[in-house]
């Protein structure tokens, strides 16, 4: 059985909709997007401050945390996924090397077997 690069196979099998979703997810899951969301959230802060304590709490929990932390959490997830992809890629390269080594050992053993058969 031939060794296959699953990351490459998966990437090639994505549909158009999946590629669009991935593109959007990568955009939202960036620190640049987190900064933009933070700037947007801060636009509403003066109104929340003037409205009182309850509105400040609402602004922090519903606006700032949800909007900004969404992107930051996605960035963290992307970092973890990238690490997993790199590990999978390294495992794939190791499997290819091991397969080549096994094939070389197999060929050497076949040569030794042929020599032994000639000696008999």
């Amino acid at each position: 059985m031939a060794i296959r690069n699953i990351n490459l196979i998966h990437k090639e099998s994505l549909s158009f909709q999946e590629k669009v979703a991935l593109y959007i997810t990568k955009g939202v899951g960036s620190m640049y997007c987190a900064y933009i969301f933070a700037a947007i959230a801060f636009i509403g802060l003066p109104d929340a401050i003037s409205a009182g304590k309850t509105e400040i709490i609402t602004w922090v929990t519903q606006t700032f945390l949800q909007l900004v932390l969404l992107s930051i959490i996605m960035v963290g997830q992307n970092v973890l996924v990238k690490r997993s992809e790199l590990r999978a890629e390294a495992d794939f390269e190791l499997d290819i090397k091991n397969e080549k080594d096994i094939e070389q050992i197999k060929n050497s053993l076949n040569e030794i077997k042929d020599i032994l058969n000639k000696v008999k």
Side-chain angles (χ1 to χ4, degrees):
M1 182 169 91
I3 297 174
R4 301 174 301 156
N5 186 336
I6 299 302
N7 290 335
L8 185 61
I9 292 170
H10 178 260
K11 187 176 182 180
E12 291 173 351
S13 70
L14 294 176
S15 69
F16 175 74
Q17 289 89 351
E18 290 169 328
K19 289 178 183 176
V20 170
L22 187 59
Y23 179 77
I24 292 170
T25 301
K26 284 182 179 181
V28 173
S30 69
M31 284 307 295
Y32 295 114
C33 191
Y35 299 142
I36 292 168
F37 284 170
I40 292 169
F42 279 118
I43 291 171
L45 181 59
D47 290 337
I49 291 172
S50 65
K53 191 186 306 183
T54 304
E55 284 301 315
I56 293 172
I57 292 170
T58 301
W59 176 85
V60 168
T61 58
Q62 291 184 353
T63 304
F64 191 77
L65 290 179
Q66 287 182 11
L67 200 57
V68 177
L69 285 182
L70 167 73
S71 288
I72 294 172
I73 290 169
M74 290 177 71
V75 169
Q77 290 293 334
N78 289 340
V79 170
L80 294 174
V81 166
K82 184 65 176 173
R83 180 174 167 233
S84 294
E85 287 176 357
L86 290 173
R87 183 180 296 145
E89 197 70 34
D91 288 347
F92 174 72
E93 294 298 326
L94 184 60
D95 286 346
I96 288 175
K97 181 186 177 307
N98 288 341
E99 186 176 284
K100 288 178 182 177
D101 290 346
I102 290 169
E103 189 65 32
Q104 189 176 25
I105 291 169
K106 182 180 167 187
N107 290 338
S108 296
L109 289 173
N110 283 335
E111 289 175 11
I112 292 170
K113 178 182 165 189
D114 290 343
I115 291 171
L116 290 174
N117 284 336
K118 288 180 184 177
V119 171
K120 286 184 179 181

